[in-house]
């Protein structure tokens, strides 16, 4: 007797036939032919599709890193199996950084989204899709790039008969190349740079070199990254006084002393011949000879004292130079300071709301009537009437001049650390990252704002103030630019980062007086 199929029976049969069809059909896995190029820190999608666009909900989707070498075991990036993610064996660096598009699996979309790309993600990936009876895979290349920091250069000190220089740059991928050049563009590097990688896979490169004194004492650290088509240059000028000039002194003394001895011998012979020719008595001749011999002994003794003093000076000089010349010249020369003149303009984003800047950003006035309410910004001074320059300096010397209106009630000029606090009525002092000189309210005296402020001189009528920073020697000096005289120097300054020019002004005469950055003659 033949059994008649009911409606539920027909549904079950159709489902079994459909499941068999899905699991037995052949398909292709399609990925992009070109590499996926991205910046470190971005989110990216690694495209992968089935052809034809059949459902992958009941299939296995496996993403893994392709082996880069024989010793590289490959890494599991993401696994979808039995209708859910199975990432227990996922490599640790990909934890919580991968996902599939679950709603798109039924359309055959097996693409992977990778969050916050790292430099270590650079390489080839495999998209493997498996059904019960078939599997296919596609390979996708990811190229990560990261542009790092401008090379930072510094002076290490005397080494191997020259001056040691160091150049460092951070945050690169792929790895860049560093090279030291002289002022003529000729390489002075003697080896490859040191290379380190951080937890994100980004490169830090460092290159040191020992250079000799040249006509210009200017050197360039050049960074090149060919894959990113990037080239950066940082120039460094070494002050002449940092090089060892004691050798010419030794040579000069080595020549002068023998010449003095020869001259002395000639004088003795001259006296002998002269006395003999004049027929003076032997007693007088002997007395004169004894005097000359005594004088000779005195000169020799003086020579020994000079040589001893010279050796002492050379020894002290060597010790000082070994400390990068920090204590060799505590009070900078005015003319030498002016050789480091820079063009300074003011940054309106840092200016207190009572300050009015000129169109060329060289002049600042105090005008309380024009004060506007702005949102709190850590860049802007909200209590003290100050403004910073728009250019920062690090590991280099710089000089600028400010014209001071004699009718201003109070003013300050100097430099501030980029990291210094700008909000609130905080103390102005080196401990808080400020090295300034100025005039207090209702006072004619000039003060250096130490802790407590130091009264420098009384009734000083300054018209133009010169500000000089020697970053390497940790000095901030102030000059009367009109009188060409030194006023005050902060020594042993705790510079830990970038420095910015600083101007502050408070005045009762609304908008009538100003501080002006003037060109250095």
């Amino acid at each position: 007797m033949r059994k008649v199929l009911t409606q539920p029976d027909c549904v079950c049969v159709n489902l079994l036939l459909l499941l068999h069809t899905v699991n037995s059909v052949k398909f292709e896995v399609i990925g992009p032919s070109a590499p996926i190029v991205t910046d470190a820190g971005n989110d990216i999608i690694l495209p992968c599709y089935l052809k034809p666009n059949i459902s992958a909900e009941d299939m296995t989707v496996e993403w893994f890193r392709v082996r880069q070498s024989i010793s590289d075991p490959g890494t599991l990036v993401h696994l979808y199996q039995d209708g859910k993610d199975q990432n227990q064996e996922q490599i640790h660096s990909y934890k919580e950084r991968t996902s599939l598009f679950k709603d798109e699996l039924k359309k055959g979309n097996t693409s992977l989204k990778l969050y916050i790309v790292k430099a270590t993600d650079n390489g080839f990936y495999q998209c493997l899709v498996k059904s019960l009876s078939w599997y296919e895979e596609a390979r996708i290349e990811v190229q990560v790039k990261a542009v790092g920091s401008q090379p930072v250069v510094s002076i290490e000190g005397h080494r191997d008969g020259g001056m040691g220089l160091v150049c460092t740059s951070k945050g690169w991928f792929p790895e860049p190349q560093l090279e030291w050049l002289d002022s003529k563009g000729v390489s002075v590097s003697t080896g490859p740079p040191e290379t380190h990688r951080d937890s994100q896979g980004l490169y830090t490169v460092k290159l040191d070199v020992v250079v000799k004194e040249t006509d210009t004492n200017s050197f360039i650290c050049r960074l090149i990254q060919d894959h990113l088509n990037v080239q950066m240059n940082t120039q460094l000028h070494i002050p002449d006084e940092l090089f060892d000039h004691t050798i010419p002194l030794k040579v000069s003394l080595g020549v002068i002393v023998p010449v003095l001895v020869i001259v002395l011998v000639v004088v003795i012979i001259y006296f002998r011949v002269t006395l003999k020719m004049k027929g003076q008595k032997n007693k007088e001749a002997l007395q004169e000879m004894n005097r000359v011999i005594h004088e000779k002994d005195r000169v020799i003794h003086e020579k020994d004292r000079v040589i001893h003093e010279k050796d002492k000076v050379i020894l002290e000089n060597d010790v000082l130079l070994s400390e990068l010349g920090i204590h060799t010249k505590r009070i900078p020369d005015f003319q030498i300071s002016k050789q480091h003149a820079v063009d300074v303009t003011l940054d309106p984003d840092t200016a207190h709301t009572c300050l009015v800047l000129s169109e060329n950003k060289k002049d600042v006035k105090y005008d309380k009537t024009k004060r506007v309410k702005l949102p709190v910004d850590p860049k802007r001074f909200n209590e003290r009437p100050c403004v910073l320059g728009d250019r920062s300096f690090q590991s280099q010397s710089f000089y600028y001049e400010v014209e001071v209106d004699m009718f201003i009630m109070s003013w300050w000029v100097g430099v501030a650390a980029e990291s210094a606090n700008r909000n609130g009525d905080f103390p102005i002092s080196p401990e808080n990252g400020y090295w300034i000189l100025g005039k207090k309210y209702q006072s004619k005296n000039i003060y250096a704002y130490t802790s407590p402020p130091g009264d420098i001189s009384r009734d000083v009528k300054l018209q133009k103030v010169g500000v000089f920073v020697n970053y390497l020697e940790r000095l901030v000096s102030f000059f009367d630019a009109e009188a060409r005289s030194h006023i005050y120097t902060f020594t042993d300054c705790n510079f830990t980062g970038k420095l910015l020019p600083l101007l502050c002004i408070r005045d009762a005469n609304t908008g009538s007086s100003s501080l002006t950055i003037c060109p250095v003659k």
Side-chain angles (χ1 to χ4, degrees), residues 110-131:
T110 58
S111 302
L112 178 75
K113 186 168 185 179
L114 182 57
Y115 301 91
I116 313 176
V117 173
K118 305 177 182 178
T120 52
D121 297 333
N122 190 80
F124 288 90
Y125 292 76
Q126 204 81 3
C127 174
L128 173 65
V129 183
K130 295 187 292 186
S131 66

Side-chain angles (χ1 to χ4, degrees), residues 238-412:
I238 305 175
D240 294 341
E241 55 266 26
L242 290 187
F243 281 98
D244 189 352
H245 295 286
T246 60
I247 294 177
L249 174 63
K250 298 174 183 177
V251 173
S252 298
L253 289 174
V255 173
I256 291 172
V257 172
V259 170
L260 288 176
V261 173
I262 293 173
V263 170
L264 181 60
V265 172
V266 171
V267 170
I268 294 173
I269 295 174
Y270 171 79
F271 274 107
R272 282 182 173 178
V273 173
T274 302
L275 292 174
K276 186 176 181 179
M277 292 178 61
K278 290 185 177 180
Q280 293 182 351
K281 295 180 180 181
N282 291 337
K283 185 177 180 179
E284 293 176 348
L286 289 174
Q287 289 176 347
E288 185 64 17
M289 184 63 66
N290 289 335
R291 189 188 67 79
V292 172
I293 292 174
H294 177 74
E295 185 67 18
K296 180 195 73 171
D297 292 338
R298 190 189 66 79
V299 171
I300 292 175
H301 176 74
E302 183 67 16
K303 178 201 71 173
D304 292 338
R305 189 190 66 78
V306 170
I307 292 174
H308 175 74
E309 192 68 21
K310 176 261 301 184
D311 291 337
K312 180 181 177 182
V313 170
I314 291 173
L315 178 60
E316 292 174 351
N317 191 33
D318 289 340
V319 173
L320 293 175
L321 288 174
S322 68
E323 298 175 355
L324 284 180
I326 292 176
H327 303 292
T328 58
K329 197 171 185 180
R330 304 306 287 174
I331 304 301
D333 179 79
F334 178 67
Q335 285 300 119
I336 293 177
S337 300
K338 291 180 66 174
Q339 294 176 9
H340 298 277
V342 295
D343 184 26
V344 173
T345 54
L346 301 174
D347 183 1
D349 292 338
T350 66
H352 186 274
T353 53
C354 284
L355 300 185
V356 179
L357 272 59
S358 63
E359 186 175 347
N360 65 358
K361 300 176 185 177
K362 298 278 190 179
D363 184 277
V364 57
K365 296 181 179 180
Y366 183 87
D367 193 341
K368 198 171 184 178
T369 63
K370 295 185 178 181
R371 182 173 186 176
V372 295
K373 290 186 178 181
L374 295 174
V376 176
D377 186 345
K379 291 176 57 179
R380 185 182 301 279
F381 290 91
N382 65 356
E383 289 290 339
R384 294 193 176 277
C386 300
V387 61
L388 295 172
D390 62 0
R391 177 183 174 189
S392 60
F393 302 88
Q394 185 174 9
S395 300
Q396 67 182 98
S397 298
F398 64 95
Y399 174 89
Y400 73 100
E401 291 182 354
V402 181
E403 190 172 317
V404 180
D405 194 319
M406 62 182 295
F407 298 106
I408 301 175
M409 291 175 57
S410 62
W411 54 265
W412 313 318

